[in-house]
């Protein structure tokens, strides 16, 4: 069962613009700077772990509302994903993928002796025989009845579940968007772009930090640092120790010349694609690079 068929991962970059400098009580000079968002990267991943959409945006204009552009981008894509999800659910409900012999055998077992079936897929409790009074009720009013459970996206048969458990496990319509260190950094850009149409719901940690927030009841922004409490550099190095093949999405998106051109919303001739393909080195993306933040002004 897929509770949320699509999820997003995002990250922001910002200009660092000096405001002023002053000395503290110890005589140490401190610089105050404004962080102005100048771009973002966004990828949407489906229930199978495949990247279905990705985009990179950047600007040289400090006045451009990058966070607003980001919201327009992700909400537009989420609307498309919801339409796809509804279509998948309609198709899967009409044609569950299951071996016909297994289906007939399970139906017979449900009628004759459900106590011999494997436990409920969700709660793990054994099934029991229903009384005549329970069987006389409408199907939706038989919470303990064993029903067939299928993946709402692929249509594949998963197992048997109590009717009540199956109904409670319906597919969610709110997709999560994970951003590393959202609470302490990226959220400041996003919250400043809120307007009345966002209909935002916020879970605050304090007046300046937000644990999570939901926009238009469609996207829930979460901080991946909450459960992966280390820098992206350390997390990448830890994963690299096992096998660089684990970076499937990175290699899928940045390992192909045509995908890189797609990121910047442009095509290319066969020769351009071939030349770019020879220059690609995905392993460089798995290293910490020196980035001139203070010179991006």
């Amino acid at each position: 069962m897929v509770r949320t068929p699509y999820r997003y991962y995002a990250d922001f970059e910002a200009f660092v613009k000096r405001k002023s400098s002053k000395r503290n009580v110890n005589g140490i000079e401190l610089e105050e700077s404004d962080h102005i968002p100048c771009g973002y990267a966004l990828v949407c991943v489906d229930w199978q772990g495949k990247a279905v959409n990705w985009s990179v945006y950047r600007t040289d204009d400090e006045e451009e509302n990058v966070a607003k552009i980001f919201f327009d981008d992700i909400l537009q894509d989420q609307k498309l994903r919801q339409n796809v999800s509804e279509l998948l659910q309609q198709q899967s409900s009409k044609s569950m993928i299951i071996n016909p012999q297994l289906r007939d055998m399970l139906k017979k077992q449900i009628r004759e002796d459900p106590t011999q079936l494997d436990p409920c897929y969700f709660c793990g409790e054994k099934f029991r025989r229903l009384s005549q009074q329970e069987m006389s009720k409408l199907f939706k009013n038989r919470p303990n009845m064993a029903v067939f459970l299928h993946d709402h996206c692929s249509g594949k048969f998963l197992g048997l579940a109590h009717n009540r458990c199956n109904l409670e496990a319906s597919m969610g319509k709110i997709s999560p968007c994970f951003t590393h260190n959202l609470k302490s950094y990226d959220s400041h850009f996003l919250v400043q772009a809120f307007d009345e149409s966002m209909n935002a719901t916020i879970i605050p940690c304090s007046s300046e930090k937000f644990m999570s927030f939901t926009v238009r009841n469609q996207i829930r922004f979460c901080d991946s640092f909450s459960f992966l409490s280390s820098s992206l550099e350390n997390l990448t190095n830890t994963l690299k120790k096992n096998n660089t093949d684990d970076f499937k999405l990175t290699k899928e998106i940045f390992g192909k010349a045509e995908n890189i051109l797609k990121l910047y919303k442009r095509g290319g001739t066969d020769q351009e694609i071939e030349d770019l393909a020879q220059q690609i080195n995905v392993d460089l993306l798995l290293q910490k690079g020196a980035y001139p933040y203070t010179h991006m002004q």
Side-chain angles (χ1 to χ4, degrees):
M1 175 63 64
V2 180
R3 295 303 302 272
T4 305
Y6 296 101
R7 59 190 183 276
Y8 294 89
Y9 300 92
D11 188 38
F12 278 84
E13 290 296 342
F15 297 119
V16 180
K17 186 176 182 180
R18 290 192 184 95
K19 289 176 59 179
S20 61
S21 61
K22 59 183 179 180
R23 294 186 181 276
N24 62 12
V25 293
N26 297 320
I28 299 175
E29 186 174 353
L30 302 176
E31 290 188 354
E32 293 184 351
S33 303
D34 281 334
H35 287 237
I36 304 171
C38 63
Y40 64 84
L42 174 68
V43 60
C44 178
V45 181
D46 68 7
W47 67 96
Q48 296 176 313
K50 296 181 180 179
V52 294
N53 188 35
W54 54 85
S55 62
V56 169
Y57 182 85
R58 61 183 181 182
T59 181
D60 297 326
D61 185 0
E62 295 181 8
E63 301 299 323
E64 194 162 0
N65 193 339
V66 173
K68 177 65 167 57
I69 296 172
F70 169 80
F71 275 126
D72 292 341
D73 191 359
I74 192 172
L75 288 171
Q76 181 179 0
D77 187 76
Q78 171 63 358
K79 185 177 181 179
L80 172 62
R81 302 304 153 201
Q82 286 183 343
N83 293 336
V84 173
S85 297
E86 291 174 2
L87 181 61
L88 288 172
Q89 289 185 77
Q90 292 174 4
Q91 293 176 343
S92 64
S93 62
K94 295 178 181 178
S95 55
M96 180 174 61
I97 302 174
I98 182 175
N99 183 293
Q101 293 180 341
L102 175 62
R103 179 195 59 205
D104 295 340
M105 182 187 71
L106 290 174
K107 283 184 176 181
K108 181 180 179 181
Q109 193 73 45
I110 291 173
R111 289 194 305 268
E112 296 179 354
D113 187 9
T115 61
Q116 299 301 314
L117 294 167
D118 289 336
C120 173
Y121 183 90
F122 293 110
C123 68
E125 295 180 5
K126 295 287 290 183
F127 296 102
R128 64 176 179 80
R129 289 189 178 90
L130 300 184
S131 64
Q132 290 185 350
Q133 182 180 1
E134 288 177 305
M135 290 299 295
S136 65
K137 296 180 180 179
L138 295 174
F139 179 78
K140 64 179 181 180
N141 295 327
R142 304 176 197 168
N144 296 314
M145 184 175 182
V147 297
F148 286 81
L149 172 67
H150 68 281
D151 188 306
H152 287 182
C153 293
S154 66
K156 293 181 179 179
F157 170 70
L158 299 177
L160 297 176
H162 290 110
N163 195 19
R164 66 175 188 275
C165 296
N166 188 36
L167 293 174
E168 291 174 357
S170 59
M171 185 183 293
K173 293 185 178 181
I174 301 178
S175 295
C177 178
F178 298 100
T179 302
H180 208 62
N181 203 23
L182 171 78
K183 180 171 63 176
S184 299
Y185 191 71
D186 302 75
S187 63
H188 297 288
F189 303 142
L190 296 171
V191 170
Q192 290 177 19
F194 281 175
D195 56 34
E196 292 183 358
S197 67
M198 296 290 184
N199 192 24
T201 303
I202 298 175
I203 301 177
C205 293
S206 66
S207 60
E208 296 183 354
K209 293 187 177 182
F210 310 105
M211 183 180 300
S212 174
F213 49 87
T214 304
V215 174
R216 291 186 187 173
N217 206 33
Q218 296 179 17
I219 304 287
R220 177 170 293 122
F221 291 87
C222 307
D223 189 351
S224 55
F225 190 83
S226 299
F227 46 88
L228 293 171
S229 54
S230 185
S231 67
L232 290 177
E233 179 186 11
N234 290 337
L235 292 172
T236 301
N237 289 336
T238 300
L239 196 57
K240 279 196 322 186
K241 290 179 181 178
N242 298 326
N243 194 343
T244 56
D245 290 339
D246 290 332
F247 296 87
K248 295 179 181 179
L249 293 178
T250 304
K251 293 187 174 182
E252 177 184 347
I253 296 174
F254 294 100
K256 299 178 181 178
E258 53 269 31
N259 286 346
I260 294 177
L261 292 173
K262 179 183 175 183
L263 281 172
Y264 298 101
K265 296 180 173 59
R266 59 170 292 238
T269 64
D270 292 341
Q271 185 61 46
E272 287 177 326
I273 293 176
E274 183 178 347
D275 293 342
L276 181 58
Q278 294 176 355
Q279 302 175 40
I280 292 175
N281 186 351
V282 179
D283 290 338
L284 291 176
L285 297 176
L286 308 181
Q287 302 175 16
K288 178 71 172 180
Y291 198 79
Y293 288 100
T294 56
H295 295 281
M296 293 183 61
Q297 301 179 38

